[in-house]
Short mmCIF file of all heavy atoms in Angstrom, two decimals:
data_model
loop_
_atom_site.label_atom_id
_atom_site.label_comp_id
_atom_site.label_asym_id
_atom_site.label_seq_id
_atom_site.Cartn_x
_atom_site.Cartn_y
_atom_site.Cartn_z
N LYS A 330 33.94 -2.75 -84.23
CA LYS A 330 35.13 -2.21 -83.59
C LYS A 330 34.73 -0.97 -82.80
O LYS A 330 33.90 -0.17 -83.28
CB LYS A 330 36.19 -1.83 -84.63
CG LYS A 330 36.75 -3.00 -85.44
CD LYS A 330 37.62 -3.91 -84.59
CE LYS A 330 38.23 -5.03 -85.43
NZ LYS A 330 39.05 -5.94 -84.62
N VAL A 331 35.30 -0.82 -81.62
CA VAL A 331 35.08 0.39 -80.82
C VAL A 331 36.34 1.23 -80.89
O VAL A 331 37.43 0.78 -80.50
CB VAL A 331 34.74 0.05 -79.35
CG1 VAL A 331 34.59 1.33 -78.54
CG2 VAL A 331 33.46 -0.78 -79.29
N ILE A 332 36.19 2.46 -81.39
CA ILE A 332 37.31 3.38 -81.53
C ILE A 332 36.91 4.71 -80.90
O ILE A 332 35.89 5.30 -81.29
CB ILE A 332 37.70 3.60 -83.00
CG1 ILE A 332 38.03 2.25 -83.66
CG2 ILE A 332 38.88 4.56 -83.12
CD1 ILE A 332 38.25 2.34 -85.15
N GLY A 333 37.67 5.18 -79.93
CA GLY A 333 37.36 6.44 -79.28
C GLY A 333 36.00 6.47 -78.63
O GLY A 333 35.34 7.51 -78.58
N GLY A 334 35.57 5.32 -78.12
CA GLY A 334 34.27 5.23 -77.47
C GLY A 334 33.10 5.09 -78.41
O GLY A 334 31.95 4.95 -77.96
N GLN A 335 33.34 5.07 -79.72
CA GLN A 335 32.28 4.93 -80.70
C GLN A 335 32.39 3.56 -81.37
O GLN A 335 33.49 3.11 -81.72
CB GLN A 335 32.38 6.03 -81.77
CG GLN A 335 32.22 7.45 -81.24
CD GLN A 335 30.80 7.75 -80.82
OE1 GLN A 335 29.84 7.22 -81.40
NE2 GLN A 335 30.65 8.60 -79.81
N ARG A 336 31.25 2.89 -81.54
CA ARG A 336 31.26 1.58 -82.19
C ARG A 336 30.99 1.74 -83.70
O ARG A 336 30.10 2.48 -84.12
CB ARG A 336 30.20 0.66 -81.58
CG ARG A 336 30.25 -0.77 -82.16
CD ARG A 336 29.26 -1.68 -81.45
NE ARG A 336 29.59 -1.88 -80.06
CZ ARG A 336 30.52 -2.76 -79.62
NH1 ARG A 336 31.18 -3.52 -80.48
NH2 ARG A 336 30.75 -2.87 -78.33
N TYR A 337 31.78 1.02 -84.47
CA TYR A 337 31.65 1.00 -85.92
C TYR A 337 31.45 -0.44 -86.39
O TYR A 337 31.86 -1.39 -85.71
CB TYR A 337 32.91 1.58 -86.60
CG TYR A 337 33.21 3.00 -86.19
CD1 TYR A 337 33.98 3.26 -85.07
CD2 TYR A 337 32.72 4.07 -86.93
CE1 TYR A 337 34.26 4.57 -84.69
CE2 TYR A 337 33.00 5.37 -86.56
CZ TYR A 337 33.76 5.62 -85.43
OH TYR A 337 34.03 6.91 -85.06
N TRP A 338 30.85 -0.57 -87.57
CA TRP A 338 30.63 -1.89 -88.15
C TRP A 338 31.33 -1.99 -89.50
O TRP A 338 31.28 -1.04 -90.30
CB TRP A 338 29.14 -2.18 -88.31
CG TRP A 338 28.48 -2.49 -87.01
CD1 TRP A 338 27.82 -1.61 -86.20
CD2 TRP A 338 28.44 -3.75 -86.35
NE1 TRP A 338 27.37 -2.24 -85.07
CE2 TRP A 338 27.73 -3.56 -85.12
CE3 TRP A 338 28.93 -5.01 -86.66
CZ2 TRP A 338 27.50 -4.60 -84.23
CZ3 TRP A 338 28.70 -6.06 -85.76
CH2 TRP A 338 28.00 -5.84 -84.56
N ARG A 339 31.96 -3.13 -89.72
CA ARG A 339 32.61 -3.43 -91.00
C ARG A 339 31.80 -4.52 -91.70
O ARG A 339 31.73 -5.65 -91.23
CB ARG A 339 34.05 -3.89 -90.77
CG ARG A 339 34.92 -2.82 -90.14
CD ARG A 339 36.20 -3.42 -89.55
NE ARG A 339 36.98 -4.15 -90.53
CZ ARG A 339 38.00 -4.95 -90.22
NH1 ARG A 339 38.34 -5.13 -88.95
NH2 ARG A 339 38.67 -5.57 -91.17
N LEU A 340 31.16 -4.15 -92.80
CA LEU A 340 30.31 -5.08 -93.53
C LEU A 340 31.04 -5.55 -94.78
O LEU A 340 31.50 -4.72 -95.58
CB LEU A 340 28.99 -4.41 -93.95
CG LEU A 340 27.86 -4.35 -92.92
CD1 LEU A 340 28.27 -3.52 -91.71
CD2 LEU A 340 26.61 -3.76 -93.56
N PRO A 341 31.14 -6.85 -94.98
CA PRO A 341 31.79 -7.35 -96.21
C PRO A 341 30.91 -7.08 -97.42
O PRO A 341 29.70 -7.35 -97.41
CB PRO A 341 31.94 -8.85 -95.94
CG PRO A 341 30.85 -9.17 -94.96
CD PRO A 341 30.69 -7.95 -94.11
N VAL A 342 31.51 -6.54 -98.46
CA VAL A 342 30.84 -6.32 -99.74
C VAL A 342 31.77 -6.85 -100.85
O VAL A 342 32.94 -7.13 -100.60
CB VAL A 342 30.50 -4.83 -99.96
CG1 VAL A 342 29.44 -4.37 -98.99
CG2 VAL A 342 31.74 -3.95 -99.85
N MET A 343 31.27 -6.96 -102.05
CA MET A 343 32.05 -7.57 -103.13
C MET A 343 33.31 -6.78 -103.44
O MET A 343 34.29 -7.36 -103.93
CB MET A 343 31.17 -7.71 -104.37
CG MET A 343 30.01 -8.68 -104.19
SD MET A 343 29.13 -9.03 -105.72
CE MET A 343 28.49 -7.41 -106.13
N GLU A 344 33.30 -5.51 -103.16
CA GLU A 344 34.45 -4.64 -103.43
C GLU A 344 35.48 -4.69 -102.30
O GLU A 344 36.65 -4.39 -102.50
CB GLU A 344 33.93 -3.21 -103.61
CG GLU A 344 34.96 -2.13 -103.71
CD GLU A 344 34.39 -0.78 -103.32
OE1 GLU A 344 33.87 -0.65 -102.18
OE2 GLU A 344 34.45 0.13 -104.14
N GLY A 345 35.04 -5.05 -101.08
CA GLY A 345 35.92 -5.07 -99.92
C GLY A 345 35.11 -4.98 -98.64
O GLY A 345 34.47 -5.94 -98.23
N GLU A 346 35.08 -3.78 -98.01
CA GLU A 346 34.31 -3.57 -96.80
C GLU A 346 33.61 -2.22 -96.82
O GLU A 346 34.11 -1.25 -97.39
CB GLU A 346 35.21 -3.61 -95.55
CG GLU A 346 35.71 -4.98 -95.19
CD GLU A 346 36.48 -4.98 -93.87
OE1 GLU A 346 37.06 -3.92 -93.52
OE2 GLU A 346 36.49 -6.02 -93.20
N PHE A 347 32.44 -2.19 -96.19
CA PHE A 347 31.71 -0.94 -95.96
C PHE A 347 31.78 -0.64 -94.48
O PHE A 347 31.37 -1.45 -93.65
CB PHE A 347 30.26 -1.08 -96.41
CG PHE A 347 29.40 0.12 -96.09
CD1 PHE A 347 29.68 1.37 -96.60
CD2 PHE A 347 28.28 -0.02 -95.26
CE1 PHE A 347 28.88 2.47 -96.31
CE2 PHE A 347 27.48 1.06 -94.97
CZ PHE A 347 27.78 2.32 -95.49
N LEU A 348 32.31 0.52 -94.12
CA LEU A 348 32.46 0.93 -92.74
C LEU A 348 31.40 1.97 -92.40
O LEU A 348 31.24 2.95 -93.14
CB LEU A 348 33.85 1.52 -92.52
CG LEU A 348 34.17 2.07 -91.13
CD1 LEU A 348 34.15 0.97 -90.08
CD2 LEU A 348 35.52 2.78 -91.13
N LEU A 349 30.67 1.76 -91.29
CA LEU A 349 29.68 2.75 -90.88
C LEU A 349 29.57 2.81 -89.36
O LEU A 349 29.87 1.83 -88.66
CB LEU A 349 28.30 2.47 -91.48
CG LEU A 349 27.38 1.44 -90.80
CD1 LEU A 349 25.95 1.70 -91.22
CD2 LEU A 349 27.79 0.04 -91.14
N SER A 350 29.12 3.96 -88.88
CA SER A 350 28.87 4.14 -87.45
C SER A 350 27.67 3.30 -87.04
O SER A 350 26.70 3.14 -87.80
CB SER A 350 28.59 5.61 -87.14
OG SER A 350 29.69 6.42 -87.45
N GLU A 351 27.71 2.78 -85.80
CA GLU A 351 26.57 2.01 -85.30
C GLU A 351 25.38 2.90 -85.00
O GLU A 351 24.24 2.55 -85.26
CB GLU A 351 26.95 1.24 -84.04
CG GLU A 351 25.76 0.49 -83.45
CD GLU A 351 26.12 -0.40 -82.28
OE1 GLU A 351 26.29 0.14 -81.17
OE2 GLU A 351 26.24 -1.62 -82.49
N SER A 352 25.65 4.10 -84.46
CA SER A 352 24.55 4.98 -84.08
C SER A 352 24.81 6.39 -84.60
O SER A 352 25.95 6.76 -84.90
CB SER A 352 24.36 5.01 -82.56
OG SER A 352 25.49 5.58 -81.93
N PHE A 353 23.73 7.17 -84.67
CA PHE A 353 23.80 8.53 -85.17
C PHE A 353 23.13 9.47 -84.17
O PHE A 353 22.05 9.18 -83.65
CB PHE A 353 23.12 8.63 -86.54
CG PHE A 353 23.82 7.83 -87.61
CD1 PHE A 353 23.54 6.49 -87.78
CD2 PHE A 353 24.79 8.42 -88.40
CE1 PHE A 353 24.19 5.74 -88.74
CE2 PHE A 353 25.45 7.68 -89.36
CZ PHE A 353 25.17 6.34 -89.54
N GLY A 354 23.78 10.60 -83.92
CA GLY A 354 23.25 11.56 -82.98
C GLY A 354 22.02 12.28 -83.51
O GLY A 354 21.85 12.44 -84.72
N VAL A 355 21.16 12.70 -82.58
CA VAL A 355 19.94 13.42 -82.92
C VAL A 355 19.96 14.80 -82.27
O VAL A 355 20.20 14.91 -81.06
CB VAL A 355 18.68 12.65 -82.44
CG1 VAL A 355 17.42 13.42 -82.81
CG2 VAL A 355 18.65 11.26 -83.04
N GLN A 356 19.72 15.81 -83.07
CA GLN A 356 19.55 17.17 -82.55
C GLN A 356 18.05 17.40 -82.40
O GLN A 356 17.32 17.48 -83.39
CB GLN A 356 20.15 18.19 -83.53
CG GLN A 356 19.93 19.65 -83.15
CD GLN A 356 20.83 20.09 -82.01
OE1 GLN A 356 21.96 19.66 -81.92
NE2 GLN A 356 20.31 20.94 -81.16
N LYS A 357 17.56 17.48 -81.16
CA LYS A 357 16.11 17.50 -80.94
C LYS A 357 15.46 18.85 -81.23
O LYS A 357 14.31 18.90 -81.65
CB LYS A 357 15.81 17.08 -79.50
CG LYS A 357 15.94 15.58 -79.27
CD LYS A 357 15.35 15.17 -77.94
CE LYS A 357 15.28 13.66 -77.83
NZ LYS A 357 14.68 13.21 -76.55
N LYS A 358 16.16 19.94 -81.01
CA LYS A 358 15.54 21.26 -81.19
C LYS A 358 16.03 21.91 -82.47
O LYS A 358 16.49 23.04 -82.47
CB LYS A 358 15.81 22.14 -79.98
CG LYS A 358 15.11 21.67 -78.72
CD LYS A 358 15.31 22.64 -77.56
CE LYS A 358 14.57 22.17 -76.32
NZ LYS A 358 14.75 23.09 -75.18
N SER A 359 15.94 21.17 -83.56
CA SER A 359 16.29 21.75 -84.85
C SER A 359 15.07 22.43 -85.45
O SER A 359 13.96 22.30 -84.94
CB SER A 359 16.82 20.65 -85.78
OG SER A 359 15.85 19.64 -85.95
N VAL A 360 15.29 23.17 -86.52
CA VAL A 360 14.24 24.04 -87.07
C VAL A 360 14.11 23.81 -88.57
O VAL A 360 15.10 23.81 -89.30
CB VAL A 360 14.57 25.53 -86.81
CG1 VAL A 360 13.41 26.41 -87.25
CG2 VAL A 360 14.89 25.76 -85.34
N ALA A 361 12.89 23.65 -89.04
CA ALA A 361 12.63 23.53 -90.47
C ALA A 361 11.60 24.57 -90.89
O ALA A 361 10.75 24.98 -90.11
CB ALA A 361 12.14 22.14 -90.82
N GLY A 362 11.67 24.99 -92.13
CA GLY A 362 10.66 25.87 -92.68
C GLY A 362 10.98 27.35 -92.63
O GLY A 362 10.13 28.18 -92.95
N GLY A 363 12.21 27.72 -92.26
CA GLY A 363 12.59 29.12 -92.40
C GLY A 363 12.49 29.51 -93.86
O GLY A 363 12.88 28.73 -94.74
N ASN A 364 11.95 30.67 -94.16
CA ASN A 364 11.73 31.00 -95.58
C ASN A 364 11.73 32.49 -95.83
O ASN A 364 11.49 33.28 -94.92
CB ASN A 364 10.41 30.40 -96.06
CG ASN A 364 9.20 31.15 -95.53
OD1 ASN A 364 8.78 32.16 -96.09
ND2 ASN A 364 8.64 30.66 -94.41
#
């Protein structure tokens, strides 16, 4: 399903449905190791 320009997927599971985003954004200039 496309909602607000974003595509989501509905996966059938034994409990009902699992809803998740199709894609995930990437922050390229993030920082690790501050200490």
Side-chain angles (χ1 to χ4, degrees):
K330 296 290 183 181
V331 177
I332 303 173
Q335 298 289 328
R336 184 176 295 278
Y337 301 88
W338 286 94
R339 297 163 57 192
L340 277 63
V342 292
M343 295 188 297
E344 171 203 57
E346 288 186 333
F347 174 61
L348 177 64
L349 82 159
S350 298
E351 177 174 79
S352 65
F353 295 86
V355 180
Q356 176 75 36
K357 284 192 171 181
K358 292 185 179 180
S359 58
V360 186
N364 74 84

